[in-house]
Amino acid sequence: MNSAGSGRRTTSSLLPITPILGLMAILGLAIRLYRLTYQSLWIDEVVTFLSSGGSVNYVLWQTDVNSNIPPLYYVVVSLALRLQQTAGILGQDAIIRFPSVLFGVIAIPFTFIVLRPLIGRSSALYATAITTISPFQVWYSQEARPYEMLLLLSLVGMWCWQRALGNPASLAWRVAAAISAAAIAYCHTVGLAFLAFLLIYALLVAPRREWMSWIATSAIAGLLLLPAAWRLYTFRPTASANGDYSFSLVHLLYALWTFLTGYSLGPSAAELHLPSRLAVTVRYAPLIVPVLGSVGVLCLAGARQLHRRDQNSFFILIAWFLCPILFALAGSLVTVHPFNVRYVILAFPPLVAAIALGVDSLGHRWLRWTASAGVVLMSCASLFGYFHIDRYAREDNRGAGRFLTEHAVAGDLVVASAPYTVETLLYYVRGVVPIVVGYPTREKQVDSSKVAVELATLVGQRQRFWLFLSRTYSSDPNDRLANYCDHHFRTLLTFTGNGVRLALYQRLPLEDSEPALDDQ
């Protein structure tokens, strides 16, 4: 395997690597621990909690929670929860998210270890620095979902295959290569794309006479996945919260934008779910276009330099970038799951490698410093938005749950604006036992012509009820349910938090009630 580190000698190539990586890991840990529990859990994180409770056997084979993600990550979270219950360390929200923090920190040095043979010491160090402060990586390092574990396992798997390719006679490294490859897919189904990439990688690097042995190694990894394949076959997804989305090239541009800036620079995720998302995007075009254009130029320059220097490494990075994206795209066409940025997280390392090569290819030192300063400034601005600007934050389900705990009485009815938000609210309710139902129950969106009858059926003879509004951009983008309740009931109490509203309504006297709203 060729080393791509034969470029010009830079200052960074003269520095000891271990202390630098140690400092990066410490900085990465500090960023990822900062305000770890400031934002409440969102629905998918509550699914993690529900999927990780009970015995290990339950975690491995449960079908109670509609999550068809393989169980390896849930086993880790289950062990963390057991530790929290035994030792009483940290709070529950923190302990659920803490494994992702560790995975994100460990991924920092592994990024350097894996990229160094491909793009050289200097560029690999720069790519690692980008990963350390990446708002995209910080987001998933603070989220109780399997994506940072998936990224780390992909890097570990890549490292094992590099070592095995460098020591083809070592049975131990061959076994490690097969097991590490299988572990990626046991973390998430999209890990199958990385198995395909690893085989491509081996065929690009190994001599032709060894190809059959690497195909056999991949086949062994596939055999190790038979239990996961059986679980996936018997536990198929039945629905998706965003099943009405159809793929377009805009999704690829958004994925690139999110890789660069996370979810906290420019338009917020909630704004991009609204019918007015095109107008919102146009409003932020003066920010989006220069950033994407500049990074695009850097990536092309980096790819051109690598192609001249080491064509094998060039094609390896291309395959590494494309395999996860093509797999997610194919999945969006044949399954209920839409194309989503988090499903292509495994394409992040080759992208930052291309950016690092692009910066390294700039001829003058002041150009390299300017480009580096631009990346740091963009990351810092996005991190500030993530930590301190509420419109970029996850929904304030914790605040709504506390308000309901404080003011609700046992048996109160809570109508949640979407069925999948019910468990999120209940997670934060303590003491009282309200009855929480999702609405609409059948249709994906509220039909104003049916609100009066269906709400009357839900409320029955009760004199009061609660309305919990969360993620209305998918269930009620025109606020028809809230408008109906505001016009036909008296509002007694209201809590408004980021992305949520919780209101207690009371029946009006018959003579005070207003006519039903028109369907508009």
Side-chain angles (χ1 to χ4, degrees), residues 128-148:
T128 305
I130 296 175
T131 301
T132 301
I133 62 173
S134 163
F136 178 76
Q137 290 298 318
V138 172
W139 176 282
Y140 285 107
S141 294
Q142 289 198 337
E143 183 173 87
R145 296 301 288 158
Y147 301 104
E148 273 304 305

Side-chain angles (χ1 to χ4, degrees), residues 472-486:
T472 54
Y473 51 71
S474 63
S475 62
D476 191 10
N478 296 309
D479 296 323
R480 290 167 174 166
L481 180 58
N483 288 337
Y484 180 87
C485 291
D486 288 340

Side-chain angles (χ1 to χ4, degrees), residues 45 56 362 373 427:
E45 292 180 288
V56 173
L362 297 175
Y427 175 84

Side-chain angles (χ1 to χ4, degrees), residues 10-23:
T10 63
T11 303
S12 64
S13 66
L14 304 176
L15 298 174
I17 283 298
T18 302
I20 295 176
L21 293 179
L23 289 173

Side-chain angles (χ1 to χ4, degrees), residues 39 41 206 210 225 247 268 284 314 362 424 447 473 515:
Q39 298 183 31
L41 304 187
E210 297 179 7
L225 288 174
F247 175 79
S268 67
Y284 285 103
F314 170 80
L362 297 175
T424 315
D447 183 346
Y473 51 71

Side-chain angles (χ1 to χ4, degrees), residues 2 21 42 74 78 83 90 97 153 163 175-176 186 189 224 235 237 241 317 321 323 343 397 413-414 418 429 433 470:
N2 294 334
L21 293 179
W42 72 292
Y74 296 137
S78 177
L83 178 63
L90 303 179
R97 285 175 171 167
L153 288 176
R163 297 302 299 268
V175 172
Y186 272 106
T189 309
L224 293 175
F235 188 18
L317 288 185
F321 183 73
C323 280
Y343 299 153
N397 298 300
L413 173 71
V414 182
V429 175
V433 187
S470 175

